[in-house]
Amino acid sequence: MKQVIAIPLEEGRLCQHFGHCQQFAIIETEDGTIQNETLVTPPPHEPGLLPAWLSERGVTEVIAAGIGQKAIRLFEQQQIRVHVGAEYKSPRELVTDHFQQSLVTGINSCDH
């Protein structure tokens, strides 16, 4: 099964606030194995823009720390699953945890 996972980054690790990240790691996987990893710079922050922008890149899942409720709803409309409250780790660590079913998620650090 192919998945494309987007992870918002700040200084190479998970960004605590989704909409203000410096880059996204776009990680393409097949059957639980990383096939490709690309770093992309997002467009300037505008509420509601990133879900459609990431969908255009084939993203099927997002791993985030803090993300607004409106953004989560917009991702759901794009058929993109959102994992919220992830730990401050590198993209590869987060994807590996995801496939080993040990991804730690929890409290959404964003309050809007």
Side-chain angles (χ1 to χ4, degrees):
M1 180 172 138
K2 183 177 179 180
Q3 292 180 315
V4 180
I5 302 169
I7 301 171
L9 302 178
E10 186 171 51
E11 298 179 11
R13 297 178 79 75
L14 181 66
C15 182
Q16 295 302 302
H17 192 283
F18 181 85
H20 298 285
C21 68
Q22 297 169 336
Q23 291 183 308
F24 279 94
I26 307 292
I27 300 177
E28 298 173 36
T29 68
E30 182 120 14
D31 298 322
T33 303
I34 295 173
Q35 302 293 315
N36 189 37
E37 180 178 347
T38 306
L39 297 178
V40 294
T41 301
H45 180 66
E46 286 183 38
L49 176 72
L50 292 175
W53 183 77
L54 288 170
S55 178
E56 290 171 2
R57 281 147 187 79
V59 169
T60 58
E61 304 208 26
V62 168
I63 297 175
I67 183 170
Q69 292 301 312
K70 180 181 177 183
I72 292 172
R73 285 191 301 278
L74 292 171
F75 275 116
E76 290 170 350
Q77 291 173 5
Q78 298 282 346
Q79 280 22 192
I80 297 174
R81 184 174 178 205
V82 180
H83 306 273
V84 178
E87 295 179 295
Y88 183 69
K89 291 184 172 183
S90 74
R92 285 188 173 263
E93 289 174 305
L94 291 166
V95 170
T96 299
D97 289 351
H98 173 64
F99 286 119
Q100 293 176 350
Q101 298 183 351
S102 62
L103 180 66
V104 174
T105 56
I107 296 172
N108 186 351
S109 63
C110 186
D111 60 2
H112 65 276

